[in-house]
Amino acid sequence: MAAFPFLNLKKLNQSLATEVGAAMEEVLAHGQFVNGPEVKQFEREWAAFCGVPDSVGCANGTAAMHALLECLGIGPGDEVIVPSHTFIASAESIRLTGAVPVFAEIDPDTMLADPQSIRECITPRTRAISVVHLYGMPVEFDTIAEIAREHAIPVVEDACQAHGAAYRDRPAGSLGTGAAFSFFPGKNLGAYGDAGAITTTDNELAARLHLYVDHGRTAKYEHLVMGTNYRLDTLQAAVLLAKLPHLREWTRRRQALAARYDEILSAEPFRSIPVRLQSAPEGSVSAYHLYVVRVPNRDAVIQGLKEKGVGTGIHYPIPCHLQPSMQEFSAGEGSLPHTELAAREIISLPMCPTLTPEDAGQICTLLHEVLEKTGAPTG
Ligand SMILES: *Cc1c(COP(=O)(O)O)cnc(C)c1O
């Protein structure tokens, strides 16, 4: 295995194997694998973590965002603004309602949706703005909320990478009308399979969502409204409950690692090599799901790091608007130049609560060696 794996999920999960195992054993003992008591308890605890009155457990993050948009009444003929620089699920969840994604450009410094571009994407058919706290970094929410207010449309948060992040002291997941979270195993809070949740400050919306994810069911074989099966299963809820008490500490460790990366990469000898960091919007505190920098000759840098035992990732190499699946809704290559350039330059450095600030020092030393060889222009 690489000396510095990109993410050491096995090590992280092994550190909690006893607690998680015991929680799963309890579910095996009571046998309520669907709608068991752990689901309600997790919904309560997740809501508390996000500072909202209610949360709705969900099968995964994509389903969570789809359910949220659907319960806001979004459907065919509607448009939802979303950045192109994100995981495909941000756009898919919009398509699942029958609405059309309208792709916004990023601010090249934050790599998050540019409020000015969002404004330009508004049409008479715009029904919502979906903001993505990409890499765990909350968007410039107040500016975007102001645009939404002017047009009387909701802002929804794709918080699938932002567990424990904050904007002006408010938790991600409590900023918009509603938010979608993913507990995919590699997320900052990860299940042992697929899982997700929706948070909202709107109690009526929460009630609709609770019905929607469980066949619109009010009692056995009584279905009040159209719904589907997007339930969070009990075993995953039990795993999440066992892991949740550790999330704040894991987030602190991610932030400490990122702070050390920031410090080293903005000082000599990196100053003469253009390594570009993600800047934070005013008031945003990232949960650092990912630590992403931009470098010239990205693919050669990745290869060089691999040879030195440093695992990396690209999040994401192809923007949504250039995906064949989204062709119909895209103006194609060249239409979002900042997004397209970022996709060519980004590299995700190792980010995991099992890594220490000292590891960041060693990783940066190796990165510097690689950058000197890959012929990064100096100056
Ligand atoms: C992971 C992720 C999703 C989707 O979550 P799943 O649980 O995999 O469906 C959506 N948006 C973003 C930004 C993500 O990172």
Side-chain angles (χ1 to χ4, degrees):
M1 191 169 67
F4 298 105
F6 172 65
L7 169 69
N8 197 342
L9 205 55
K10 216 173 211 176
K11 186 171 172 186
L12 192 65
N13 282 335
Q14 272 163 1
S15 71
L16 287 183
T18 318
E19 287 144 274
V20 175
M24 292 176 87
E25 287 291 344
E26 267 183 55
V27 178
L28 299 189
H30 70 56
Q32 292 180 60
F33 296 111
V34 171
N35 287 341
E38 286 82 359
V39 174
K40 278 274 157 270
Q41 194 190 336
F42 177 71
E43 287 176 337
R44 271 196 303 276
E45 293 193 17
W46 187 246
F49 184 88
C50 296
V52 295
D54 201 3
S55 92
V56 181
C58 214
N60 57 67
T62 312
M65 183 53 89
H66 173 220
L68 175 57
L69 295 169
E70 195 79 42
C71 290
L72 285 169
I74 289 159
D78 296 341
E79 292 176 357
V80 178
I81 298 169
V82 67
S84 174
H85 184 55
T86 179
F87 180 57
I88 192 70
S90 307
E92 277 172 343
S93 52
I94 297 167
R95 277 305 293 145
L96 285 170
T97 67
V100 163
V102 176
F103 294 112
E105 178 63 295
I106 52 165
D107 173 327
D109 293 322
T110 63
M111 293 189 266
L112 306 171
D114 178 359
Q116 186 52 38
S117 172
I118 289 176
R119 196 180 276 287
E120 288 160 10
C121 288
I122 301 255
T123 78
R125 288 180 300 281
T126 310
R127 291 290 171 271
I129 300 169
S130 179
V131 296
V132 183
H133 305 311
L134 197 67
Y135 310 143
M137 183 71 82
V139 298
E140 189 183 327
F141 192 82
D142 286 350
T143 314
I144 296 168
E146 179 54 37
I147 299 169
R149 246 192 316 276
E150 285 167 26
H151 296 275
I153 52 174
V155 182
V156 294
E157 303 170 67
D158 181 333
C160 289
Q161 301 189 354
H163 321 68
Y167 176 77
R168 299 192 193 280
D169 296 324
R170 287 139 65 201
S174 73
L175 305 169
T177 299
F181 284 92
S182 167
F183 307 112
F184 179 83
K187 302 291 163 105
N188 289 21
L189 178 63
Y192 280 9
D194 279 307
I198 308 139
T199 53
T200 176
T201 49
D202 177 337
N203 285 323
E204 270 176 48
L205 177 61
R208 287 202 298 280
L209 283 161
H210 281 295
L211 287 176
Y212 185 80
V213 302
D214 191 21
H215 301 296
R217 168 163 41 201
T218 44
K220 195 168 188 181
Y221 302 128
E222 290 177 27
H223 307 278
L224 181 67
V225 290
M226 179 62 196
T228 185
N229 178 357
Y230 273 178
R231 291 179 303 241
L232 170 65
D233 79 65
T234 314
L235 271 170
Q236 299 305 339
V239 171
L240 294 167
L241 277 169
K243 293 176 92 174
L244 182 55
H246 303 271
L247 181 56
R248 297 237 182 255
E249 174 57 23
W250 290 336
T251 306
R252 275 192 288 275
R253 285 195 223 159
R254 287 175 180 275
Q255 289 166 337
L257 186 64
R260 188 70 187 123
Y261 274 137
D262 279 348
E263 185 178 35
I264 299 171
L265 295 174
S266 21
E268 286 305 337
F270 281 96
R271 233 181 256 143
S272 53
I273 294 175
V275 176
R276 214 168 149 187
L277 311 183
Q278 182 186 28
S279 54
E282 172 116 34
S284 292
V285 178
S286 180
Y288 288 103
H289 174 56
L290 295 166
Y291 188 86
V292 176
V293 299
R294 297 172 63 164
V295 293
N297 302 325
R298 188 263 316 275
D299 294 341
V301 174
I302 288 181
Q303 186 55 34
L305 284 172
K306 189 177 171 197
E307 284 160 15
K308 290 180 184 293
V310 180
T312 57
I314 306 175
H315 301 88
Y316 296 88
I318 306 172
C320 292
H321 76 286
L322 298 183
Q323 294 288 355
S325 66
M326 292 291 153
Q327 210 171 6
E328 262 181 274
F329 316 107
S330 162
E333 185 100 41
S335 58
L336 297 172
H338 290 307
T339 294
E340 292 165 30
L341 183 61
R344 287 195 291 275
E345 293 185 343
I346 46 174
I347 165 169
S348 306
L349 297 179
M351 174 48 75
C352 184
T354 59
L355 291 171
T356 63
E358 290 68 44
D359 293 325
Q362 290 187 50
I363 291 163
C364 289
T365 302
L366 297 170
L367 174 63
H368 186 257
E369 288 172 20
V370 169
L371 285 170
E372 280 193 312
K373 274 215 212 107
T374 53
T378 54

